[in-house]
Amino acid sequence: GKGATGDGAPTPAPPAPPRLSMIVVAGTLEGGAFACTPCPAGTFSTEATSECRPCPEGHEAPAGATSCDPCSVDFFAPYPGTGKCVRCGDGTHSMGRVAECSEECTFQVGEVLAD
């Protein structure tokens, strides 16, 4: 019959799956975070937003920054979200705030170039 083994004894029920009885969420205050996590290097967040946004090319930011700083002369930041500007290589130069360095060529306004 149903639910019986060959010897007439009932078939034991399979063990019940484990159930979750309680969830404890730490680090909250009235349902929200009670402490902010600093933004990682290369990103910033202002008091007006809780979102970490990447710095644009030509800028850098240390961890926990509230704004991005432009790269200095002879430094560059090749992509958005750069944590620290990189020094230009030998024979190259930048005016700062740039995504790449260029060969050192400077011209003055009004300069005439001739072959």
Side-chain angles (χ1 to χ4, degrees):
K2 225 178 191 186
T5 59
D7 63 2
T11 304
R19 290 189 288 170
L20 189 60
S21 61
M22 183 186 328
I23 296 176
V24 176
V25 180
T28 62
L29 180 64
E30 296 180 10
F34 66 81
C36 294
T37 301
C39 290
T43 65
F44 73 101
S45 178
T46 62
E47 288 184 18
T49 179
S50 60
E51 177 184 354
C52 295
R53 294 181 296 192
C55 293
E57 295 175 347
H59 292 73
E60 67 181 355
T66 57
S67 65
C68 300
D69 296 318
C71 295
S72 301
V73 171
D74 290 333
F75 284 81
F76 72 106
Y79 49 86
T82 298
K84 186 143 183 73
C85 295
V86 180
R87 181 177 290 282
C88 293
D90 291 340
T92 62
H93 175 74
S94 85
M95 296 304 293
R97 299 178 182 252
V98 297
E100 60 187 35
C101 298
S102 58
E103 292 181 21
E104 289 191 50
C105 294
T106 57
F107 299 99
Q108 293 179 348
V109 175
E111 185 175 350
V112 178
L113 302 176
D115 289 333

